Amino acid sequence: MINKLKPRMANAQPNATANKAAGSLQIRKWFGCSNLGLFLYVSFCVILTAIAYLRPLPTFDRYLYAGAVASLRYSDPVIIHRIARTEFDAQPSPFLFESVASEPYFADVRDNPYHFVQQLGFYRVKLGYVAIGYLLWRMGLPILVGLRLISACCLLIVGLAVLTWTHDAALSVVLLLTPSVMSMGRMVTADPPSTTIIFLALFAIAKEKELIAAILLTASVLLRFDNTVVIVIILAWMVWRRCIGLSLGILFGALAVIAAVWATRITGYYGWRVLMQHSFIKPEIEPVTHPILINFAGYVHAMAGLRVIPYTFMTIWILVAAATWKRLPSGAIFRELLPLAGICILVRLAIYPNVEDRYFLWEYLLAGVALVQTAQSSIPENKEDTICQPL
């Protein structure tokens, strides 16, 4: 009996070795590095995520997002205000009210519950983000702990996606350590999950998973309703390049528009002109009872603020994208995606002339990945990263 078992045991060892080798090959195929390299990279991403979670940016927006989440459960302004103040005061990296003590807006919104709840329409409109925060709150996490966790996890997901796309752990680490990207995990806003979804959609396009890309793009509108513009532009390009059919492009575009309109209606959004007045002219303490709409002169004044672009990180990333684009071979997908991202930037700046990095993170990541792959000189050999055929 023992002699009969010996051949089976002998065969089992080579099979285990073969399975292990197959697993290593699969990991190398997905991530382009060995098991040890992947372990070190993932460990780095986890540590970076933990740092981002423990050191959130000390922004005033955290206070208002906490109120937006609480407003999904309560309607009493006093209760909502008390919950938001409690959450905000308990967070690390406190917002320095003393630095804006001369601004009546901050002091009033901090202390007046009735004016505070009127601000929430600007934040509650990021319905998907606020809803996820609400679910985490109902599961037992404090509101801002849950929102910080969302941003930190987005940094981790983006880190893994970057390695999967570039197959270069060392350069992926450098990309994640750039200030614009690293801050993504520290900001408590809807921009990290929005960036993550759009970046994953572009990755899906590069890997010829066009249906998945269209679904992700459409879903991103629930995180930021103004993603509708980006979605329409990219879907139009996908239809033109025969990545998806015209009927599917129209369907997903219509779904994105409907979702955006629905989100603005049920969350009490005040409209683009009130938002522009509030953001670029003067903060509106009572946008519900006394809404003030921006006029043409105000819009021109807001557009004049774009003169600061040469002094921002956007200039560096545009230079990276332009230099990379010049070196791209004709069949590379980045040769089309980078100008497409540029169009999205221009349209967004025309609609909402704010140059904060958080609005353009997915474009920066795209430029970074294109740079890494160009440096590797691997784009011509990467069979998956090719564009669809034009009409």
Side-chain angles (χ1 to χ4, degrees), residues 52-206:
Y53 170 76
L54 295 172
R55 298 292 295 172
L57 294 176
T59 59
F60 188 68
D61 282 357
R62 294 179 298 172
Y63 177 40
L64 294 154
Y65 274 116
V69 172
S71 70
L72 295 186
R73 184 178 183 186
Y74 299 103
S75 58
D76 188 340
V78 176
I79 295 176
I80 296 172
H81 181 258
R82 184 176 70 247
I83 292 172
R85 279 294 298 269
T86 301
E87 291 276 349
F88 189 59
D89 293 341
Q91 290 305 297
S93 304
F95 179 81
L96 299 178
F97 280 106
E98 294 77 10
S99 64
V100 292
S102 60
E103 294 287 340
Y105 169 78
F106 289 99
D108 186 85
V109 171
R110 179 187 60 177
D111 300 325
N112 188 321
Y114 298 97
H115 290 171
F116 172 74
V117 296
Q118 292 196 45
Q119 304 298 309
L120 302 184
F122 294 121
Y123 297 84
R124 197 167 44 229
V125 72
K126 286 88 170 182
L127 185 59
Y129 176 68
V130 175
I132 296 171
Y134 176 78
L135 289 176
L136 293 175
W137 182 37
R138 298 294 289 161
M139 290 169 61
L141 288 178
I143 295 175
L144 289 183
V145 168
L147 296 183
R148 286 163 50 204
L149 187 62
I150 293 171
S151 298
C153 288
C154 287
L155 181 60
L156 177 61
I157 294 170
V158 165
L160 295 176
V162 166
L163 177 61
T164 308
W165 202 341
T166 64
H167 286 187
D168 192 311
L171 292 179
S172 296
V173 166
V174 175
L175 178 57
L176 292 180
L177 287 176
T178 56
S180 301
V181 178
M182 187 174 178
S183 64
M184 181 179 74
R186 301 180 60 205
M187 62 181 74
V188 183
T189 72
D191 300 291
S194 174
T195 295
T196 302
I197 293 295
I198 295 178
F199 183 69
L200 291 177
L202 295 175
F203 179 52
I205 291 174

